[in-house]
């Protein structure tokens, strides 16, 4: 029995490697051979991976190679023949497809490399019935290094479904592919090399998505490079998900804003909050840069599409920028950041150019004066337009955006801070400078202490004149996400809460009996409800979406109930009910940025 081991080293535990499962599914079951899969992460020690590979004792091993795992794979390669003499080693994936001949010279223990799409190639290798010289899409060693003819793209509908068994993917993201190739020619992207877009049959796609829906998986991430490159294909799949929504599963799509139609926008507006999330690669708003990297973006259309999608408060919008592109200097990137930030996506990702082998950007690196890491991930260090010190600044800004914007944990406080800075970039740059001065980049504050850090930072700005408001806003942001029972240092004292102790007790006793505001908590008594939720008293209307630094205090304190069983799907914020003075007019609001419905208590 020939034992074949397909091996992946993923960036994180929650990731999986669909390529390996696709290779195994396509190869199928055949007498005389067994195909197994072994997945690890880059956080494993190489010695531990080596030991586990030894225990598998394969006759043939194939590594899936990417920029995030090549360093680890390259460390393992020389060691494998020492512990498994006679093992046949094969490589595949984007990190080894471009310079396969050079890599074979560098690693003499490797028998061959699968270049490009691997399903048919791997099947023929695994079957072992064809001589290597007749197998297309490989570079191999046989006395000398031999390169066979290029393999034609695979029929996507001919690839079997990968996920009949979901046990290996428990607590992990499921990646799904309904198309391959990309119609665009972006110079920094390897997808531009595969210009022929192929679509999987929508009948198959719907059957397979129903499999996920029936099993109520948490998230399915489409890996299609441009999901909406075919209007009919996208509409049929989105319509199916709308009609068969199970109320749980989230689907992630990468889309091109310029291609979105009014019909698609209307359909998307009817989806359940949390059913879908859209990632749009903006990369830059600099017209010279866009032209040079072979992208066309209609900025007015982009603003319109993002605005329309966000208008429904039902779809998580993720926008991307890339630093280090040609003709983009520090001020140009600052402008790109401010333009994209003004669209208020749920997530704004600041990426840094990766000079990938095989991409056009790799060929032009010298002409652009791009200096980049010699080893994976080949990330930009400087360009003719962007010196290294500015790249370092942008990396610090990126960390601040990730912590204080993308986390959705500081929505109200960030809104206040935006008002005292000339633009959004200035806010995050100043916050980064504060972090550097305090040493927080090296001694990173924990999640809960970040509220305290933001308070300290706010006190160095014009908001120091509104200290009481800032304290309450941060407490509000904290309780929107965390049901903490110990009050943070910046929180105002709650002497007044003692005055309302009776009303709070009476409120929970009534809720235990009637469940008017805390539906879904089961048969809990009033004390249990008080522990599972939180009531906080405020002197300012911190729940108002248009909150300003000069907001006046309320005539009488208001209480806010935080309900952690019912959270806002896009930001994970608790549902809040404003209990104004325990007897006056009050309101409930579903999430940040939405009007709230009046209620009487």
């Amino acid at each position: 029995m020939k034992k074949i081991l397909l091996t992946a080293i993923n960036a994180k535990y929650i990731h999986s490697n669909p390529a390996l499962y696709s290779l195994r599914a396509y190869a199928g079951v055949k007498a005389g051979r067994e195909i197994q899969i072994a997945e690890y992460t880059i956080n494993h020690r190489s010695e531990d991976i080596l030991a586990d590979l030894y225990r598998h004792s394969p006759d043939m091993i194939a590594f899936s190679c990417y920029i995030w795992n090549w360093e680890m794979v390259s460390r393992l390669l020389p060691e494998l023949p020492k512990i498994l003499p006679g093992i046949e080693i094969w490589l595949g994936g984007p990190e080894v497809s471009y310079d396969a001949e050079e890599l074979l010279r560098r690693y003499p223990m490797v028998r061959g490399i699968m270049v490009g799409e691997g399903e048919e190639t791997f099947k023929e290798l695994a079957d072992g019935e064809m001589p290597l010289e007749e197998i297309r899409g490989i570079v191999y060693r046989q006395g000398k290094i031999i390169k066979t003819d290029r393999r034609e793209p695979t029929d996507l509908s001919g690839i079997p479904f990968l996920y009949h068994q979901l046990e290996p993917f428990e607590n992990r993201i499921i990646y799904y592919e309904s198309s391959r190739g990309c119609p665009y020619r972006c110079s920094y992207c390897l997808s531009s090399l595969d210009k022929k877009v192929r679509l999987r049959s929508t009948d198959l796609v719907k059957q397979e998505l129903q499999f996920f829906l029936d099993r109520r998986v948490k998230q399915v991430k489409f890996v299609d490079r441009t999901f909406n490159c075919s209007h009919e294909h996208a509409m049929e799949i989105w319509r199916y998900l709308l009609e068969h929504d199970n109320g749980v599963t989230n689907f992630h799509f990468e889309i091109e804003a310029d291609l979105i139609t009014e019909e698609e926008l209307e359909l998307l507006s009817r989806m359940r909050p949390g059913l879908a999330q859209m990632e749009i690669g903006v990369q830059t708003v600099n017209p010279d840069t866009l032209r040079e990297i072979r992208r066309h973006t209609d900025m007015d259309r982009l603003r319109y599409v993002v605005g329309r999608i966000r208008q429904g408060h039902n779809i998580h919008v993720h926008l991307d920028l890339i630093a280090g592109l040609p003709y983009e200097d520090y001020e140009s990137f600052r402008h790109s950041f401010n333009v994209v930030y003004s669209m208020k996506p749920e997530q704004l990702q600041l990426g840094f150019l990766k000079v990938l082998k095989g991409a056009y950007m790799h060929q032009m690196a010298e002409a652009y004066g791009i200096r980049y890491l010699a080893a994976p991930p080949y990330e930009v260090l400087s360009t003719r337009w962007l010196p290294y010190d500015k790249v370092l600044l942008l990396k610090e800004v990126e960390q601040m955006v990730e912590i204080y914007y993308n986390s959705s944990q500081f929505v109200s406080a960030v809104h206040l801070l935006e008002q005292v800075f000339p633009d959004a970039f200035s806010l995050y740059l100043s916050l980064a400078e504060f972090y550097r001065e305090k040493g927080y980049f090296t001694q990173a504050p924990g999640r809960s202490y970040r509220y305290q850090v933001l308070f300290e930072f706010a006190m160095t700005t014009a908001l120091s004149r509104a200290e009481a408001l800032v304290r309450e806003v941060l407490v509000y942001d904290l309780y929107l996400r965390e049901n903490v029972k110990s009050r943070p240092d910046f929180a105002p004292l709650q002497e007044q809460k003692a005055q309302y102790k009776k009303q709070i007790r009476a409120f929970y006793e009534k809720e235990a009996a009637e469940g008017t505001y805390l539906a879904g908590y089961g048969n809990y008594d009033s004390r249990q409800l008080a522990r599972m939720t939180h009531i906080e008293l405020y002197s300012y209307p911190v729940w108002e979406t248009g909150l300003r630094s000069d907001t006046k205090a309320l005539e009488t304190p208001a209480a806010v109930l935080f309900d952690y069983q019912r959270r806002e799907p896009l930001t994970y914020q608790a549902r809040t009910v404003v209990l104004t003075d325990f007897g006056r007019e009050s309101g409930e609001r579903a999430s940040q940025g939405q009007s709230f419905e009046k209620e009487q208590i």
Side-chain angles (χ1 to χ4, degrees), residues 15-26:
H15 297 168
S16 59
N17 188 306
L20 298 192
Y21 292 90
S22 185
L23 295 183
R24 185 173 69 174
Y26 196 87

Side-chain angles (χ1 to χ4, degrees), residues 376-401:
Y378 312 114
E379 192 169 272
V380 66
L381 295 171
S382 65
T383 74
R384 198 197 317 162
W385 302 271
L386 192 67
Y388 183 55
D389 63 330
K390 298 301 185 185
V391 171
L392 293 179
L393 277 180
L394 293 180
K395 281 188 169 291
E396 291 180 344
V397 168
E398 185 265 339
Q399 288 187 56
M400 296 299 93
V401 171

Side-chain angles (χ1 to χ4, degrees), residues 415-417 419-420 462-467 469-470 473 540 546-552:
H415 172 72
L416 274 185
L417 283 163
Q419 298 171 40
V420 297
L463 284 180
S464 61
R465 297 192 297 267
E467 180 179 340
L469 173 63
V470 172
V473 163
Y540 292 88
L547 197 68
R548 297 185 55 81
S549 57
D550 58 359
T551 298
K552 303 300 182 188

